[in-house]
């Protein structure tokens, strides 16, 4: 039990009403709509993610959480609504552009680049690498600049590997890693872009308790050291309630309720729609 | 255990040998083995191992090896590195060759060309292949990988059939346009043509400067004199029983080897860089590459154009040295693309060294090998007439006669090559899907990533020498 959970048992009665003490929003999703064929996957979802917060996004299967993630990150073009990141409209921008602005996501099923080594996976991430220009990669006069930058990045990569305690796997193919190690790698790789907001799609699925503790440690550490913002999709209700200061509940494509964990826990509509007798 | 120590020491040194040196050694050893095999063929075959015949045969093998190595390297950039399934290689070669021809053939030629210098033709051919590549890729690269395959294979056939069309046998560009600025026609009429099925003479081609080393009149050696170098080299080889044409081809083959080295150098640099890293990421999972902020469309476009330009150059060096081309040439048929893919699969997609090895093994053992085997069998066994049909070939089995079948096989060796290719492919798919070197870790970076602060972790464990014995 974290201490955040113990404080403020005076919950709001209607969880949808916004906390008055919330800081500026890093991400604003407004009336987002996405339809696949006849299925309304996201149906007017609106929520905000506070700067520097650890926000949880929960909801039953098919509630539209992953589709919302895909619309925010440009994998899908939303059919309606808008996404604003750090005050700029990013609706419908390309995935790569959005990532380069500092909004980075991980995947529900870890998607590491299997036939690339752990080091290569991490070296891929950093933005503005001069060596990504074909001319710099090839031409003799320009290549020394590429090498210099790569030497610097190599140090950062090793530091990140050590932070996540996977430095002993540095030269290994990512495809040879265990499920838990892949989750660590994926988070480490996302961090190498130096994001402002990380969208984590079920980062703890299939992860053993020890590793889960380790991952959470890193996440809390990064919030303190780099003021990173996290938006987390997760099924483990206890984990969300203990670690997030703000929880958004999606149901049938729209936001059913949002508020502090205690409020969500006691919200009748949430209990009816999703939690059932789980709590 | 001094022997074990010595072995460990040797292994240690082997580990320290630079990767590129090992690769050069590997290629040299492979070629050495191939040369040995074909020297034996020459000795037991019809030419009975005169020095001239050995040189001639080895020249042929090296020539085809270099041509295939070039093309396989270019395809490796597309398929091996980036996962772009380009099965229209022959089409891009054709674009290079015909653009080269249109630029360099003199205006008096039939069909006529622009009569520009050789180097303009080469650069123009490469640019044209790259541009056609861009046009092909533009719609297809936004879609899934299979669509690129369909588009490229269709395009290569469209190109071949267009070249075969009599509509373009000879034509005049801008004939109906008469735009004048200040009395000066800015779009003058330009006579061009493909020659369609009649083919096209290509008098200016990359073999001319090579011939120029030996002859004062390289376009027609018989009409001129030998140069001083020509006198010395041709004289020396002639005395050893090597024909003049073989020496000239050998010089052209050396040029090809130089180009292979250039391709290799270029592609290793492309691969071992942040650019190459993004290519690998696209091959592995494009969505991940996108999610990490890489605009994969731009990378795919660049790499597709670069590869196509190399295929265009490869086509020019491959086809025009004969001084003639026509659309029915096997160089431009879909089977050519298939051959290049087979060579890449043998060598191992994703490895540049593997590409060269694959090119060498395919060109020597699968492409030229059957011809040599057939010639040798015919010579050794005195098979007599080739039966006219398969039935006539297998019928005599009843009388335990195998000679007609062998004669039939030797006489139809071109067709047997496909059977052989099929067998090799099935074997590879089942037992070694990565090819010879496809399993190798070729880390995409311009610096050694393991080598942090200049300290390799394994340096700590490595000992130096042990006890001084002996």
């Amino acid at each position: 039990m974290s201490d955040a959970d113990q404080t403020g048992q005076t919950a709001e009665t209607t969880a949808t009403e916004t906390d008055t003490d919330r800081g500026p929003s890093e991400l604003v999703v407004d009336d987002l709509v996405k339809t696949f064929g006849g299925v309304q996957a996201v149906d007017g979802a609106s929520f905000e993610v506070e700067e520097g917060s650890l926000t949880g996004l929960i909801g039953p299967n098919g509630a539209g959480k992953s589709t919302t993630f895909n619309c925010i990150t440009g994998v899908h073009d939303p059919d309606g609504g808008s996404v604003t990141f750090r005050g700029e409209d990013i609706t419908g921008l390309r995935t790569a552009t959005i990532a380069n602005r500092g909004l980075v996501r991980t995947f529900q099923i870890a998607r590491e680049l299997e036939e690339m080594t752990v080091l290569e996976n991490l070296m891929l991430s950093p933005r503005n690498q001069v060596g990504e220009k074909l001319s710099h990669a090839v031409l003799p006069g320009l290549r020394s600049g590429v090498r210099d930058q790569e030497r610097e990045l190599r140090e950062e990569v090793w530091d990140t590997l050590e932070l996540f305690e996977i430095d002993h796997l540095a030269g290994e193919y990512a495809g040879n890693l265990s499920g838990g190690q892949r989750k660590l790698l994926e988070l480490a790789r996302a961090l190498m872009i130096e994001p402002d907001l990380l969208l984590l799609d079920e980062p703890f699925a299939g992860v053993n308790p020890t590793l889960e503790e380790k991952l959470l440690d890193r996440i809390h550490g990064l919030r303190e050291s780099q003021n990173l913002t996290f938006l987390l999709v997760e099924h483990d209700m206890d984990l969300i309630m203990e670690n997030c200061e703000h929880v958004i509940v999606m149901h049938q494509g729209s936001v059913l309720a949002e508020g502090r964990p205690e409020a969500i826990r006691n919200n009748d509509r949430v209990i009816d729609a999703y939690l059932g007798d789980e709590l | 255990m001094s022997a074990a120590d010595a072995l460990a020491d040797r292994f240690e040194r082997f580990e320290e040998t630079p990767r590129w040196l090992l690769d050069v050694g590997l290629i040299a050893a492979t070629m050495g083995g191939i040369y040995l095999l074909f020297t034996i063929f020459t000795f037991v075959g019809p030419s009975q191992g005169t020095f001239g015949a050995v040189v001639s045969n080895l020249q042929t093998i090296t020539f085809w090896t270099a041509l295939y190595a070039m093309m396989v390297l270019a395809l490796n950039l597309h398929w091996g590195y980036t996962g772009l399934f380009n099965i229209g290689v022959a089409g891009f070669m054709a674009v290079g060759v015909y653009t080269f021809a249109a630029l360099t053939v003199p205006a008096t030629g039939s069909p006529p060309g622009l009569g520009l210098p050789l180097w303009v033709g080469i650069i123009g051919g490469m640019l044209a292949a790259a541009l056609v590549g861009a046009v092909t890729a533009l719609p297809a690269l936004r879609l899934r990988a299979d669509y690129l395959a369909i588009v490229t294979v269709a395009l290569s056939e469209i190109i071949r059939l267009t070249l075969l069309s009599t509509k373009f046998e000879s034509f005049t560009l801008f004939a109906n346009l008469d735009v004048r600025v200040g009395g000066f026609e800015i779009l003058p009429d330009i006579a061009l043509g493909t020659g369609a099925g009649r083919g096209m003479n290509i008098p200016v081609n990359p073999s001319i400067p090579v011939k120029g080393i030996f002859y004062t009149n390289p376009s027609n050696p018989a009409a001129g004199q030998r140069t001083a170098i020509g006198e010395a080299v041709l004289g020396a080889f002639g005395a050893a029983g090597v024909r003049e044409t073989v020496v000239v081809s050998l010089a052209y083959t050396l040029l090809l080897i130089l180009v292979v080295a250039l391709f290799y150098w270029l592609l290793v640099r492309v691969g071992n860089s942040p650019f190459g890293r993004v290519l690998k990421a696209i091959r592995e999972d494009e969505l991940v590459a996108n999610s990490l902020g890489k605009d994969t469309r731009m990378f795919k476009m660049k790499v597709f154009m670069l590869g196509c330009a190399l295929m265009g150059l490869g086509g020019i060096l491959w086809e025009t040295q004969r001084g003639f081309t026509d659309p029915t040439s096997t160089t431009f048929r879909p089977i050519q693309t298939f051959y290049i893919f087979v060579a890449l699969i043998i060598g191992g997609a994703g490895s540049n060294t593997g590409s060269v090895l694959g090119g060498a093994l395919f060109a020597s053992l699968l492409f030229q090998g059957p011809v040599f085997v057939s010639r040798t069998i015919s010579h050794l066994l005195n098979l007599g007439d080739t039966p006219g049909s398969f039935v006539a070939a297998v019928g005599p089995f009843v009388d335990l006669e195998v000679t007609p079948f062998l004669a039939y096989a030797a006489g139809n060796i071109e067709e047997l090559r496909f059977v052989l290719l099929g067998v090799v492919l099935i074997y590879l798919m089942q037992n070694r899907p990565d090819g010879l070197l496809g399993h190798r870790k070729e880390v995409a970076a311009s610096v050694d990533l393991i080598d942090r602060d200049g300290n390799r972790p394994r340096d700590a464990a490595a000992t130096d020498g042990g006890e001084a014995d002996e």
Side-chain angles (χ1 to χ4, degrees), chain B residues 100-419:
Chain B
F100 173 86
L103 290 172
T104 60
V105 169
T108 53
S110 165
L114 295 178
L116 295 169
L118 178 77
W119 62 270
V120 177
I122 291 178
I123 293 172
M126 291 176 72
L127 283 178
L131 280 176
V132 173
V135 172
T136 321
L138 212 51
L141 287 183
R142 309 179 55 160
L143 302 165
R144 285 213 330 269
D146 354 1
Y147 291 96
L148 182 70
I150 295 166
V151 171
T152 48
V153 75
L155 183 94
S156 80
E157 279 299 87
I158 289 170
I159 290 169
R160 190 171 68 86
L161 296 173
T162 306
L163 294 173
L164 204 53
S165 157
T166 49
K167 289 258 189 283
F168 300 104
E169 191 166 340
S170 61
F171 58 92
T172 307
L173 216 55
F174 313 127
N176 302 323
L177 284 174
D178 195 17
V179 185
R180 285 174 187 277
V181 178
F184 184 74
E185 189 173 2
I186 54 166
L187 290 174
D189 297 355
I190 299 170
L192 290 171
T194 62
R198 284 194 300 119
M200 206 172 178
N201 283 314
I202 309 176
V204 179
N205 65 57
S207 79
I208 298 296
V210 174
K211 285 179 187 151
I213 299 171
F214 303 104
Y215 304 107
T216 52
N217 184 356
S219 311
N220 187 3
Q225 312 266 307
R226 288 178 181 178
T227 61
I229 298 173
E231 194 61 52
V233 176
L234 294 175
F237 274 96
V242 183
R243 281 179 291 126
E244 273 185 44
T245 48
V246 173
V247 180
V248 174
S249 302
L250 199 60
Y252 188 74
T253 304
L254 289 179
L255 172 75
L256 291 180
I257 292 173
L258 210 66
V259 176
V260 171
L262 204 69
F263 273 33
Y264 185 88
W265 175 84
L266 178 74
L267 295 180
V268 165
R269 277 172 97 91
V270 169
N272 295 347
S273 73
F275 184 85
R277 203 149 58 218
V278 177
L279 301 187
K280 272 173 103 172
I282 291 171
R283 178 189 73 193
E284 293 294 310
D285 192 332
E286 192 172 348
L287 181 56
V288 168
N290 268 317
S291 300
L292 295 174
K294 313 301 173 193
D295 187 355
T296 55
R297 283 195 312 186
M298 285 309 295
F299 283 92
K300 287 200 291 186
M301 184 56 83
K302 281 183 198 170
V303 90
F304 201 73
M305 288 177 71
L306 176 63
C308 287
L310 296 182
M311 287 168 187
L313 175 59
I316 293 168
L317 292 170
W318 186 309
E319 184 73 3
T320 62
Q321 45 88 25
R322 296 191 298 148
F324 175 81
T325 189
D326 72 287
T328 59
S329 159
T330 39
T331 315
F332 305 136
R333 287 183 173 272
I335 191 73
Q336 172 76 343
T337 306
F338 175 71
Y339 283 162
I340 295 166
F341 256 102
V342 172
L344 179 57
I345 290 167
I346 292 172
S351 163
N352 288 314
T353 307
S355 299
V356 176
L357 285 181
L361 291 173
F362 173 83
S364 57
L365 301 184
L366 296 175
F367 190 70
Q368 289 291 315
V371 180
F372 277 80
V373 171
S374 140
R375 248 191 258 160
T376 309
I377 290 176
S378 308
H379 172 71
L380 289 181
L381 299 180
N382 190 19
L383 297 168
D385 294 335
T386 305
S389 70
F390 186 67
V391 176
V394 283
F397 278 164
V398 180
D399 306 323
L400 297 178
E401 283 267 5
V402 292
T403 321
F405 177 74
L406 283 177
Y408 183 76
N412 294 281
I413 201 74
E414 296 280 328
E415 282 70 25
L416 274 181
R417 182 187 288 157
F418 289 104
V419 178

Side-chain angles (χ1 to χ4, degrees), chain A residues 94 96 99-100 107 111 115 120 124 126 129 131-132 138 143 147 150 154-155 158-159 162 171 173, chain B residues 266 269 272-273 275 277 280 284-285 287-288 290-295 441 444 446 448-449 451-453:
Chain A
R94 295 173 49 72
N100 275 324
F107 293 90
R111 296 174 79 141
E115 288 196 20
E120 279 181 296
L124 180 69
Q129 297 192 42
E132 285 176 8
V138 171
R143 198 167 158 94
R147 286 168 171 276
E150 287 219 280
R154 179 173 66 193
E155 295 312 302
W158 275 100
D159 288 342
E162 277 164 10
Y173 275 134
Chain B
L266 178 74
R269 277 172 97 91
N272 295 347
S273 73
F275 184 85
R277 203 149 58 218
K280 272 173 103 172
E284 293 294 310
D285 192 332
L287 181 56
V288 168
N290 268 317
S291 300
L292 295 174
K294 313 301 173 193
D295 187 355
K441 274 185 198 158
S446 65
D448 186 352
L449 296 179
D451 187 17
R452 193 187 192 190
D453 308 324

